Amino acid sequence: MTRQKQLKARIRARMARTGESYSTARLHVAGPSGPVEHAGYRLRGGTHPASAALANVLAHHGVRAAGAELSEALVFGIAGGPGAGYILWEFAHDGSRPVVLGFSSQWQYADRAPLAALSRLGVPAAVERTGGAVGAARALDAALDAGTPALVWPDRHVVGYGHLPASFDGMGGHPVVVHGRDGDRYRVDDRTLAPLGVPADRLRAARARVGSYKNLLVVPRPEGDVPEQVLHAAVADAITDGATRLGGTSASFALPAWAKWARTLTDAGAAKGWPRVFADGRGLTGALASVWEGASPAGATGGHLRDLTAAFLDDAGPLVGGTAPAARAWRAAAAAWHGVAEAALPVDVPPFARLRELTAAVQQAVVAEGDAGAAAAEESAGELWALRAELDATPPLSTPERDDLFAALAARLRAAHAAEVVAVAEMAAWSASRAR
């Protein structure tokens, strides 16, 4: 027991220090570990919620392509790959100013990326958008009774296991897999490596909470392996689409979003300029923490996903050829985004270091321990959000320290933007070479 506690502490410390996901940190600390069998379903973990959910369901059905299971990286890329987006919210009801970062394709829409992947792969799926709770529960139960795990989109606060504060109620969430039911509890896979259950009434409420994707249900129903020519076409189409989309001019959903954000970090005259928005310092810690959690794989949403993009291009190379330069460029972008996260919540500021530790502790408890870690997750989350509230009200940085942090963060963000310009250009060059 003591050795196990020491191992958990070492993994958690590495997550907080490096921003790595639980699985990556555990690999470095304790070596590789395999999937966990749970009632006929294999818990495989994962990085990006939508891509891991879909890859894990396809693996459950035994779907193969080019002689192997579809990796999460391939599914991520075929779904559209990387995205770009930034929003700074200002909420009057509680004074919070969280940052939302979009790192995946179609990040602003709940279901478009996984449905795009299924379409490109030629995998049939049932899609339900039932308005009523009774019908939604009936559709989910019918899928499970037929032995077909389903993707659902619960609100993160209402579903409960992340122990988010009430201010997150109705702010949405990411897809998870429901792969069975034990009485009044559903078995849920949220990239977890241990059994995780959610009470049926809570899951029903969580699925119904957000109107734009209320009770959304996607049930993949594969009819066999993916033909190799279909896989090749899916990969090629996704690379071309990603280069076109990210290379566009939108300051909300393409690479210019990063440049715009970098400018506002030091522009006191802009309506959304950080020196103006955070002139009194209130809410700043929450914003910085949400940048670190949003960009770091140690958080709940998968992080910047640039290394997953590179892995997709590595996997794509044997299929379509010529993707190595783009893969290298996206790895450089991943390194640059690590720098952004480090600049946002520097570990040499003790309260910020503690926020990182607590964020890692919550994620470790959920991913590694599931139901068994519920008490630990609740305890760490309680301390995390109490500390965030305290620091939001009484900032730990002086005005000169704040301005220095904004300047450093802007410089790191400009470097990430420059790296991504190169990476998208490599994808576009690959696409152009295919068209000739």
Side-chain angles (χ1 to χ4, degrees), residues 102-174:
F103 286 116
S104 60
S105 169
Q106 306 287 342
W107 61 271
Q108 67 274 33
Y109 299 105
D111 59 347
R112 291 193 182 181
L115 291 179
L118 289 166
S119 176
R120 284 181 173 139
L121 292 169
V123 175
V127 180
E128 298 273 355
R129 302 180 189 275
T130 311
V134 174
R138 185 183 302 120
L140 174 58
D141 288 344
L144 298 178
D145 290 343
T148 50
L151 276 66
V152 302
W153 277 255
D155 179 83
R156 288 177 63 203
H157 169 261
V158 177
V159 80
Y161 53 80
H163 302 283
L164 295 170
S167 58
F168 279 76
D169 186 14
M171 292 188 67
H174 51 252

Side-chain angles (χ1 to χ4, degrees), residues 221-273:
R221 292 175 175 163
E223 296 174 344
D225 291 345
V226 177
E228 194 160 337
Q229 65 272 23
V230 171
L231 179 62
H232 289 193
V235 168
D237 184 49
I239 294 174
T240 298
D241 175 65
T244 301
R245 180 172 31 79
L246 284 172
T249 58
S250 172
S252 299
F253 308 116
L255 293 192
W258 306 139
K260 180 180 178 181
W261 178 20
R263 288 193 300 273
T264 64
L265 280 167
T266 55
D267 186 353
K272 285 285 189 176

Side-chain angles (χ1 to χ4, degrees), residues 21 23-24 45-52 72 191 297 299-303 305 307-308:
S21 68
S23 296
T24 300
T47 299
H48 177 236
S51 304
E72 180 192 353
R191 299 155 296 161
T301 58
L305 305 174
D307 39 9
L308 194 61

Side-chain angles (χ1 to χ4, degrees), residues 71-417:
S71 67
E72 180 192 353
L74 264 179
V75 171
F76 171 72
I78 291 169
Y86 158 79
I87 301 173
L88 171 60
W89 294 106
E90 296 182 75
F91 294 123
H93 68 280
D94 64 357
S96 65
R97 293 155 184 173
V99 172
V100 174
L101 301 176
F103 286 116
S104 60
S105 169
Q106 306 287 342
W107 61 271
Q108 67 274 33
Y109 299 105
D111 59 347
R112 291 193 182 181
L115 291 179
L118 289 166
S119 176
R120 284 181 173 139
L121 292 169
V123 175
V127 180
E128 298 273 355
R129 302 180 189 275
T130 311
V134 174
R138 185 183 302 120
L140 174 58
D141 288 344
L144 298 178
D145 290 343
T148 50
L151 276 66
V152 302
W153 277 255
D155 179 83
R156 288 177 63 203
H157 169 261
V158 177
V159 80
Y161 53 80
H163 302 283
L164 295 170
S167 58
F168 279 76
D169 186 14
M171 292 188 67
H174 51 252
V176 302
V177 179
V178 180
H179 58 92
R181 184 170 181 174
D182 299 309
D184 65 349
R185 291 176 68 84
Y186 285 103
R187 303 182 204 130
V188 171
D189 174 14
D190 185 358
R191 299 155 296 161
T192 46
L193 295 168
L196 177 66
V198 175
D201 57 349
R202 185 182 296 169
L203 185 64
R204 283 194 292 268
R207 293 182 61 203
R209 181 64 182 88
V210 181
S212 59
Y213 49 88
K214 183 177 182 179
N215 293 324
L216 176 61
L217 178 76
V218 175
V219 186
R221 292 175 175 163
E223 296 174 344
D225 291 345
V226 177
E228 194 160 337
Q229 65 272 23
V230 171
L231 179 62
H232 289 193
V235 168
D237 184 49
I239 294 174
T240 298
D241 175 65
T244 301
R245 180 172 31 79
L246 284 172
T249 58
S250 172
S252 299
F253 308 116
L255 293 192
W258 306 139
K260 180 180 178 181
W261 178 20
R263 288 193 300 273
T264 64
L265 280 167
T266 55
D267 186 353
K272 285 285 189 176
W274 281 46
R276 179 174 179 174
V277 171
F278 298 107
D280 60 1
R282 295 179 66 85
L284 174 58
T285 294
L288 295 173
S290 59
V291 171
W292 183 80
E293 182 177 7
S296 298
T301 58
H304 53 69
L305 305 174
R306 275 43 191 161
D307 39 9
L308 194 61
T309 304
F312 158 63
L313 291 163
D314 285 339
D315 288 352
L319 302 170
V320 298
T323 59
R328 287 193 295 271
W330 279 109
R331 283 202 170 81
W337 274 105
H338 176 72
V340 172
E342 291 299 299
L345 206 65
V347 74
D348 59 356
V349 179
F352 290 173
R354 184 58 180 158
L355 289 177
R356 290 166 63 145
E357 291 166 0
L358 291 167
T359 301
V362 174
Q363 192 65 2
Q364 180 189 50
V366 173
V367 171
E369 300 177 64
D371 289 333
E378 183 176 15
E379 180 181 358
S380 295
E383 184 181 346
L384 168 66
W385 292 102
L387 180 57
R388 279 183 60 155
E390 176 187 335
L391 296 176
D392 271 341
T394 308
L397 301 176
S398 66
T399 298
E401 289 171 334
R402 181 205 67 184
D403 290 343
D404 287 346
L405 187 149
F406 289 170
L409 182 56
R412 295 282 194 167
L413 187 53
R414 286 192 293 270
H417 175 251

